[in-house]
Amino acid sequence: MRPPAARAVADLFAYRNELHARREQMAAEAAQELVADLAEHTDGRPYVEVADELCARMGVRLRTWADGPVDDHVAPNTFAAAVLTAATAAVRGKLPEAGAEPDGWRGAWQVLTAVTRMVAADAAADAIAELRSLPGAEVLPELPDGPAATSPILWVRDAYGSRFGVTASFSTLGGDDRWYLWDVDACGYMPFTVHSGYYPTQEQALAAWRAGVGPMAAEAAAAPVDDPSLLAELLFPGEGLIRAGGESAEQLAEYHRGARLADAALSTLTVSPYDPAEDQAANAAREFEAWLREHRPDRLPADIDEIAAELAGSWRIDSPPALFHTCSPHRVASAVAHVRDYYEDDFAERLIDVLPDWISWLAARTGLSPDLADRCTPYVRGRRFPGTEGDGTQPNYQARVVE
């Protein structure tokens, strides 16, 4: 007989396997229904309309699952894989050799084309290779290349330097190029793409970014990317593997397309490997302690070494090293939420007591104006940044907030 601990572990693994199979089945059934309906109603519609509708429907479906019981939460990658499988099967079933009408494959092919330009390139290539090997597949046209950037990649930052707008134009099938926008908020524990989507022109894309950020972006001007390595850290760093939760249907609609287009944009740039010697955060604790001794000796804690080290670690977590010294109200609010959640109450209060001086040091180091620095201090005592309240236990890092 198994000991109780071994039985508990075995039961847990069995439950996880059953749950995984159930979620995959849910994804497969929803994908088949979505693909069949979309393929039936393409009716010669422009490719961009089909692609946009596909993404929108996937976003709504994913959000519906996320609003339901935990056991019904289907991951975006699971659903995308199911949609690719369903679209491939739909084309296979419409090939002439399968007894279908001669042109019956066209609607399904149009949907599959949209899917392959959204999911990872390797997965798409494997699906197409499988189709090409089938009898009757000679009727299928060559899959268009892409997506490909057709302009320099531009970016723009807000007054605090931690909210980014990134945009580039991309070729479309049978239509005009369109500009894609990523609105990246680097004020949380890692950068989050809080909004993304296509716009007809560069001007409209940048105007949408400024409207989303608010007054802190009013004077910002776009320029070609001059730090490709930082951009690579900002655009979807691991979001395809771990979700923070709280995404809207609109964000989930662009979950895969935005990542695929980010890969295409980054492929036009030269990204340097990470160099630990360039880590601006490496000496932050020591520099802050020295500044505090010089400028605020009356506020020097007895254990400043420990306080400075922990504060520096809590300020960065998983954000790009190049952005370590940026400071904004939103970032202060996020840091305070982390400190209160991670540390014992007494030690958390001691860290928070030093935060006003930390803000002053960052402002002095980066040249942040006193007016902007003063906007940060009300959030030191745990005031939630407007729009990020989430479920009341932690901030909603996916919120598109006005800075």
Side-chain angles (χ1 to χ4, degrees):
M1 177 181 292
R2 289 182 178 179
R7 288 199 304 272
V9 171
D11 290 345
L12 176 61
F13 274 104
Y15 168 74
R16 292 182 62 181
N17 289 337
E18 291 175 4
L19 184 60
H20 179 70
R22 179 170 179 271
R23 288 171 171 169
E24 285 197 328
Q25 181 62 30
M26 291 171 59
E29 292 174 357
Q32 291 166 9
E33 180 181 351
L34 187 160
V35 169
D37 185 62
L38 200 55
E40 184 179 351
H41 296 96
T42 54
D43 294 331
R45 294 164 61 192
Y47 160 79
V48 293
E49 288 186 13
V50 175
D52 290 348
E53 184 173 347
L54 170 67
C55 290
R57 290 196 189 189
M58 290 181 65
V60 170
R61 181 69 264 181
L62 286 166
R63 183 64 257 170
T64 301
W65 278 323
D67 287 336
V70 173
D71 285 0
D72 290 349
H73 290 189
V74 175
N77 287 348
T78 300
F79 191 33
V83 172
L84 177 61
T85 298
T88 304
V91 174
R92 184 191 305 115
K94 294 293 185 178
L95 291 175
E97 292 296 325
E101 57 188 84
D103 289 335
W105 53 270
R106 293 189 181 278
W109 178 257
Q110 193 167 359
V111 176
L112 178 59
T113 301
V115 177
T116 60
R117 292 170 71 90
M118 177 189 68
V119 300
D122 290 344
D126 291 343
I128 297 301
E130 177 191 351
L131 279 177
R132 298 287 185 202
S133 66
L134 298 175
E138 61 274 4
V139 301
L140 300 178
E142 289 298 317
L143 194 68
D145 293 333
T150 57
S151 76
I153 316 304
L154 305 177
W155 68 353
V156 58
R157 299 168 74 162
D158 74 341
Y160 289 107
S162 50
R163 184 78 170 268
F164 293 76
V166 183
T167 188
S169 67
F170 290 87
S171 57
T172 63
L173 301 182
D176 296 333
D177 292 357
R178 295 196 294 176
W179 286 79
Y180 200 82
L181 170 71
W182 297 266
D183 180 350
V184 184
D185 190 335
C187 293
Y189 65 86
M190 65 178 282
F192 288 97
T193 302
V194 296
H195 170 73
S196 58
Y198 270 118
Y199 292 85
T201 66
Q202 171 191 322
E203 291 75 19
Q204 288 172 290
L206 294 174
W209 177 78
R210 293 189 178 93
V213 178
M216 294 302 106
E219 304 300 325
V225 172
D226 56 359
D227 190 343
S229 298
L230 173 57
L231 181 62
E233 293 184 89
L234 291 172
L235 291 183
F236 294 88
E239 286 187 60
L241 302 176
I242 301 175
R243 289 170 52 211
E247 297 92 339
S248 66
E250 291 76 15
Q251 288 170 327
L252 289 168
E254 298 296 331
Y255 191 88
H256 292 95
R257 180 160 67 176
R260 180 70 183 274
L261 292 173
D263 286 341
L266 290 169
S267 70
T268 68
L269 304 171
T270 301
V271 178
S272 303
Y274 171 69
D275 183 357
E278 297 179 359
D279 190 342
Q280 297 184 31
N283 299 316
R286 179 178 56 79
E287 292 177 6
F288 171 60
E289 180 180 347
W291 181 91
L292 199 59
R293 290 183 183 279
E294 178 181 354
H295 297 277
R296 308 280 170 82
D298 58 319
R299 290 182 48 80
L300 193 69
D303 54 350
I304 183 57
D305 289 352
E306 181 182 10
I307 292 291
E310 294 298 329
L311 193 53
S314 296
W315 190 250
R316 176 181 171 182
I317 308 181
D318 200 24
S319 62
L323 301 181
F324 181 86
H325 295 98
T326 60
C327 182
S328 71
H330 186 192
R331 186 162 188 183
V332 171
S334 296
V336 170
H338 164 72
V339 166
R340 291 194 182 281
D341 182 61
Y342 187 77
Y343 296 98
E344 295 289 338
D345 291 347
D346 289 347
F347 190 71
E349 288 301 324
R350 290 165 63 197
L351 291 177
I352 290 170
D353 283 342
V354 182
L355 258 181
D357 300 315
W358 178 265
I359 293 169
S360 297
W361 168 65
L362 291 173
R365 197 183 190 284
T366 62
L368 188 68
S369 72
D371 288 346
L372 294 181
D374 287 345
R375 293 181 73 245
C376 299
T377 54
Y379 298 92
V380 169
R381 287 297 161 190
R383 176 179 170 186
R384 290 289 174 85
F385 196 82
T388 67
E389 292 81 0
D391 61 4
T393 61
Q394 65 178 7
N396 176 10
Y397 294 107
Q398 299 286 353
R400 191 185 190 195
V401 300
V402 175
E403 299 283 3

